[in-house]
Amino acid sequence: MSHRDHDDHTGHSHNHHDHSHGHDHSDDIEPALQSLIYQPIEFSGIRTLNETESNSGAKVIQKTWAQRLDAQPRVTSDSDEQLLIFVPLAGAVKLHSILIRSSTDNSAPQTLKLFTNKDDLDFGSALEQTPTQTLTLSQTSDVQDVPVKRTLFNNVYSLTLFFEDNYGDDATRVYYLGFKGEFMRLNREPVEFLYEKAANPRDHKLVQGVGSLGAQGSGHGL
């Protein structure tokens, strides 16, 4: 299987499903805002391999919490179902969980492999190397809060997300991607960052179905 970065290939298209929601989220659970990591992300350094539209992976990560249910932007894989996203951080992060929203159809990613502090991975090396942890994602349009094994993610300067497969579609689609954890000062004191600066608290409602989804697959490197 060969891959290449399709940043210059924007003509490719897939048939997309409408992911509008008819129910009201006003009574949903409010997240712990102080644990959402947003400001430490170096958005200009995000790289996505095998995306149909240039910078769509970065745009999905740039979505604010209030935009988590928006159908656009989204990142869609190009030549096959695999996506690889590199996310650099401005300092050390203690990662607690991955927040992700996909869909109920077969384009939802299934296997997500996480690699810490590796800035040179491509599809070949991601398949060959042992991930820091492998997660199994659900086929749902709710925001999933998938915990990681914290002892393996105590000193994260960059995170690579390898979406290895999905539930059977030719393309994988992701609509929202976020992170929960603690950003560390140089003196190792944790810094609490709000997900959105001066956000309306009423916008910070977690969609139905968010809970502690068990991360399937054992962490490596213990």
Side-chain angles (χ1 to χ4, degrees), residues 48-103:
T48 304
L49 302 185
N50 198 38
E51 58 184 354
T52 58
E53 182 181 345
S54 177
N55 296 320
S56 57
K59 290 176 182 177
V60 165
I61 296 175
Q62 282 182 290
K63 275 187 176 181
T64 64
W65 177 252
Q67 296 170 321
R68 68 197 181 280
L69 300 182
D70 293 353
Q72 295 288 347
R74 63 187 167 199
V75 59
T76 303
S77 65
D78 191 1
S79 63
D80 58 22
E81 76 282 6
Q82 295 186 338
L83 282 167
L84 192 144
I85 305 177
F86 169 74
V87 183
L89 302 165
V93 163
K94 291 184 175 182
L95 187 66
H96 296 170
S97 64
I98 304 292
L99 295 169
I100 184 169
R101 189 174 83 83
S102 56
S103 66

Side-chain angles (χ1 to χ4, degrees), residues 158-194:
S158 69
L159 187 68
T160 301
L161 302 94
F162 175 34
F163 296 92
E164 186 173 21
D165 56 28
N166 59 25
Y167 283 86
D169 202 312
D170 291 336
T172 294
R173 300 183 188 94
V174 176
Y175 296 82
Y176 174 76
L177 190 59
F179 310 97
K180 290 171 68 175
E182 297 173 80
F183 180 70
M184 307 301 292
R185 291 186 189 274
L186 293 178
N187 61 4
R188 313 304 297 168
E189 296 265 339
V191 180
E192 293 181 351
F193 275 101
L194 291 182

